[in-house]
Amino acid sequence: MSAHVTVVGLGADGWVSLAEPARALVRSAATLLGGRRHLESVPAVKGQDRVIWPVPLRESLASTLEGRRAPVVALASGDPLLSGIGTTLLDILGAERVTVVPAVSSVALARARMGWPAETTTVISLVGRDTRLLVPALAAGRRLLVLSSDESTPAAVAGLLAEHRWGDSRLVVLGDLGSPTESRVEAVARSWNVTDVPRLNVVAVQVRGTGPGWAAGAVLPDEAFEHTGQITKRDLRASALARLSSAPGQLLWDVGAGSGSIGVEWMRAWPTAHAVAIEPRADRAALVRANAQRHGVPSLEVVQARAPDALRHLRRPDAVFVGGGATTPGVLDGCWAALHTGGRLVVHGVTAETEAVLLERYRRHGGELVRLHVERAEPLGRFTGWSPGRAVSQWSVTKGAS
C-alpha cells in the first residue's frame, strides 16, 4: 500500500512564497513528487528522492506511489484542489491518506486583480479540457474566470466567443499571477490578435454581445438542436426535466435518445452531471454527439445499441428518461431495476399501447401520470388559430417513495 501523501501548494514565485511550516514539510520529505518546474523551484535536500509525475498521470499514479519512502510530499500549483493534483490524489487514495496544504490560488489572485467578488464570478477549468465547456456559461453580463491549459487557450476562448456571437466580450489575460513577471493584457474577443501570452495564465471574461442566451438553467428552443423530427419538444422537455431533477454528480440514462436533447439539458444544468444516451440508429447517435459538442457537454456518452440489452453493462443511474420504446419487453423493467433508491424515472408515450403500459406501471408503482397537450398559435387565413400537437402521456415516479 502506498504511503500517506501531503500535497503542498506553491505560488508562481515558488519557494519564496512558502511559509516556514510548508517549507519544513518539503525539507523533511523522503520522497518529493511534482512537475519538473516545481521540483526545480525548491532547494535540493540531501538523500531526498525526487520523482517527476508519470505520464499518463492518473493511470500510472498508484504504481508510482507504491513503495515510496515516507514521508511523501507532492508539490502543486496554488490550491491543489483547484483543477490540481490534489483532486486526483483524493480520488485515487481517499481523503484519509491525503493532506492538502494550499497556497493562494490563481483564482483568488485573479479575482483580486479584477476586483471581482467571489459571489459574482464563475470559474471554469479548461486545463486539458475541451474549450466548448465554456458554452453553457455564456450569458450577457456574466463574469468568467477561465483556467487555461497553456498559452493557446486565450485565443481559443476568443474564437469560441466570436463564433457564438459574444464577440464584444472583454478578455483580460493575467499571466504568471503572483510572480515577479506577472503580466496583464486586455482585448475584445472579436479582434483578438495577442500572440505573446505566458504559458501560465488565467483568462477573465466579461461576457458581452448578442449571443443566443442559451446559458445553463434555460430550457433550449427546439431549433438549438440538430434533429430529424425525433426530439422531445421544448415544453415537454421542460416538464420531463422538472421531474428528472438534475443534480451535481448524478447520472442520467436517456433511453431512445433521438437528438439527445434530454441528456444535453441534464448535463448543462450542472458541470459535474453525467449522462448516457442510448440510441440504436447510427444517424441519430451522430446527432446526439453533434448536439453535445455544440452545447458544451462533450463528455455526454453515446451508446449505439438497443435497450434493454444496452443497459446491462452501464453504471447504475440516478435518473432515467425513456422517450421511446417503453413497450419493448424488458426496457421499463431494466430501467426500474437499475435505478438507485430515490432515483427518478420519467417515461413519455404517444400511442394507446404505450398509455396502457404506463397506466399499469402507475397502478403498480404510483407516481404521477399526466397527459400533456400543447397548442401553438399559427396563421389561419387572415386570423390566428391554435394548432394542437399530439398529446403525450407522461409517467414520472421516484423509486422507493412512499
Side-chain angles (χ1 to χ4, degrees):
M1 179 176 289
S2 56
H4 186 100
V5 178
T6 299
V7 190
V8 175
L10 291 170
D13 48 355
W15 182 252
V16 299
S17 68
L18 291 182
E20 183 52 38
R23 290 186 178 188
L25 288 170
V26 174
R27 283 193 295 257
S28 66
T31 303
L32 187 67
L33 300 105
R36 188 179 302 277
R37 177 177 64 85
H38 290 141
L39 292 174
E40 292 175 349
S41 71
V42 302
V45 176
K46 185 177 180 180
Q48 188 178 70
D49 295 331
R50 296 202 166 188
V51 181
I52 296 175
W53 294 122
V55 178
L57 177 62
R58 178 176 281 273
E59 292 80 354
S60 308
L61 197 52
S63 59
T64 299
L65 294 171
E66 194 68 35
R68 293 292 176 183
R69 292 191 300 131
V72 178
V73 173
L75 301 177
S77 295
D79 181 353
L81 298 181
L82 185 63
S83 294
I85 188 64
T87 303
T88 305
L89 287 168
L90 285 169
D91 286 345
I92 293 173
L93 302 180
E96 68 282 358
R97 292 167 62 196
V98 179
T99 299
V100 178
V101 182
V104 177
S105 70
S106 58
V107 167
L109 290 170
R111 288 201 312 264
R113 302 299 187 264
M114 297 299 298
W116 289 357
E119 58 270 22
T120 70
T121 308
T122 300
V123 179
I124 299 172
S125 174
L126 296 184
V127 178
R129 306 173 77 193
D130 194 316
T131 309
R132 289 189 175 271
L133 290 170
L134 271 179
V135 173
L138 298 180
R142 290 197 79 176
R143 292 171 168 178
L144 310 178
L145 286 181
V146 180
L147 307 182
S148 294
S149 255
D150 53 36
E151 63 273 16
S152 69
T153 302
V157 169
L160 181 137
L161 289 164
E163 174 190 346
H164 286 265
R165 305 204 311 272
W166 298 109
D168 292 335
S169 298
R170 170 189 174 223
L171 273 65
V172 179
V173 180
L174 302 164
D176 296 324
L177 281 163
S179 78
T181 60
E182 183 174 318
S183 63
R184 174 180 177 132
V185 61
E186 181 175 342
V188 173
R190 71 171 70 257
S191 56
W192 184 264
N193 61 359
V194 179
T195 56
D196 187 16
V197 174
R199 184 173 183 81
L200 299 177
N201 69 84
V202 175
V203 186
V205 182
Q206 182 79 59
V207 182
R208 298 170 180 159
T210 59
W214 292 346
V219 178
L220 297 169
D222 297 339
E223 59 268 23
F225 295 96
E226 294 183 51
H227 64 90
T228 57
Q230 192 75 10
I231 182 173
T232 302
K233 297 291 182 64
R234 186 181 198 176
D235 298 290
L236 302 174
R237 197 182 329 130
S239 177
L241 289 164
R243 290 162 172 81
L244 289 168
S245 303
S246 180
Q250 292 200 343
L251 172 65
L252 169 79
W253 287 357
D254 183 3
V255 181
S259 67
S261 62
I262 291 288
V264 167
E265 299 268 28
W266 170 275
M267 291 185 65
R268 276 168 40 86
W270 298 100
T272 57
H274 308 280
V276 178
I278 299 97
E279 173 53 58
R281 285 182 44 169
D283 57 339
R284 290 177 181 167
L287 287 178
V288 176
R289 294 187 183 95
N291 285 321
Q293 288 287 336
R294 182 182 188 188
H295 292 294
V297 290
S299 61
L300 190 155
E301 181 182 351
V302 180
V303 174
Q304 188 187 322
R306 194 173 300 278
D309 292 342
L311 310 179
R312 295 193 179 105
H313 305 294
L314 300 178
R315 182 162 63 91
R316 292 182 66 189
D318 302 284
V320 178
F321 176 73
V322 181
T327 57
T328 301
V331 169
L332 292 186
D333 286 335
C335 292
W336 184 255
L339 269 177
H340 293 288
T341 300
R344 290 82 65 200
L345 173 65
V346 176
V347 186
H348 281 187
V350 295
T351 66
E353 289 78 5
T354 305
E355 281 194 341
V357 170
L358 298 187
L359 178 59
E360 188 276 330
R361 297 283 168 153
Y362 169 68
R363 287 171 173 165
R364 191 194 315 178
H365 298 295
E368 183 182 22
L369 183 62
V370 298
R371 295 193 78 199
L372 304 171
H373 301 260
V374 178
E375 299 185 6
R376 290 181 170 81
E378 294 183 356
L380 186 63
R382 294 184 298 108
F383 301 96
T384 301
W386 293 102
S387 179
R390 189 184 297 272
V392 173
S393 297
Q394 180 189 77
W395 176 50
S396 57
V397 63
T398 299
K399 187 173 182 178
S402 57

